[in-house]
Amino acid sequence: MTRVQILGVSKRYPGRGKDAAPVVAVDDVSIDVASGEIHAIIGYSGAGKSTLLRLINGLERTTDGRILVGEDEVSALPEAKLRAVRGGIGMIFQQFNLFFSKRVAKNVEYPLVVAGVPAEERKRRVAELLEFVGLADKAQAYTDQLSGGQKQRVGIARALATNPGLLLADEATSALDPQTSQEVLALLKRVNNELGITIILITHEMEVVRAIADRVTVMEHGRAVEQGDVFEVFSAPATEVTRRFVATALPTEPDPDHLAALRERHRGRLISLTFRDGDVDQPVVFRTIAERGVGVSIVHGGVTDVGGRSFGKLTLELIGDDLKVEHAVAALAQETELEVLA
Ligand code: ADP
């Protein structure tokens, strides 16, 4: 298990052409990743995620600030010492980065060969790793004949070969279909739970964060614009960029066009309710409406799981005479976060 401390880190690249301003790829970012945590760094293309990952494994040097991986200050170590540190860091990639013409077992064995592990032990370790990722029967298959999900399992087995305390995942599921992505994410969750390995993953997909991360950093233009517990950040986003991510994977209120379409079909009062992690008793909400003699139908939204806690936004149509609806809305406002949709 490895703690990772990113302390006021910036990375600037020289601008292209004479007198061009430098490119600030990472701008004064601080992240404290606890040992055993799954930390997601989410942002759109160009936000600085890959640069940050290259700074963590010491492939590039920080311009300012410090990075500690466990006890090792990667931002200050000479190249010769960095190699040893990288042995404690596993990496997996969007495009898998495997030897596709070699057999599966050879791919997994590779880092052990590099580390000088004796043949007998390599064999035992490869069998154990393939068992762990569910590919024991594919040891002698050629890697290019596997499906995308199986290739990523090989990538994970290889990354785990040298018993790293930290795993860095670079858009590890972005090349996979949704079902396969979920399977690979479930495997990463096991890597974290059963082996206690700290995972830092970079992604542009909200679904990845929702599914497995404990904490999240949202990056935009090189800066960490929001940070914290996944549920806290996504159930109450504070920035526009976070709101955009939330809208891709979590139930939301209807946007103006959708609301106009809903209005065509639903002439009652439309309200939106927010449910946060069991702080609202749903039966009470529906009873409150029924007791006021008001009819209700759900017209949009839902409830889902975020960071292991439930979160929902429901748009309801309240049907009945104006005064009763008014009373129901007032009573509901006592129970939950409520918005009457214009
Ligand atoms: P992300 O991974 O979030 O897509 P990157 O870290 O790749 O973002 O890039 C962040 C910014 O830094 C971009 O504007 C990119 O063009 C710039 N950048 C990244 N690497 C280099 C480099 N080696 N030289 C110059 N600019 C770079």
Side-chain angles (χ1 to χ4, degrees), residues 105-106 108-129:
K106 285 283 172 208
V108 179
E109 188 183 20
Y110 180 72
L112 299 170
V113 174
V114 173
V117 175
E120 264 315 293
E121 194 182 330
R122 292 204 302 263
K123 213 170 142 205
R124 187 189 57 73
R125 182 82 182 123
V126 168
E128 183 179 274
L129 288 159

Side-chain angles (χ1 to χ4, degrees), residues 10-15 22-28 51 61-64:
S10 295
K11 177 68 180 178
R12 288 185 288 279
Y13 295 107
V23 177
V24 186
V26 174
D27 189 0
D28 194 18
T51 304
R61 295 282 178 186
T62 60
T63 312
D64 289 309

Side-chain angles (χ1 to χ4, degrees), residues 300-318:
H300 181 76
V303 176
T304 190
D305 199 78
V306 187
R309 296 158 73 181
S310 73
F311 175 77
K313 276 200 187 257
L314 291 182
T315 299
L316 305 180
E317 178 190 19
L318 301 182

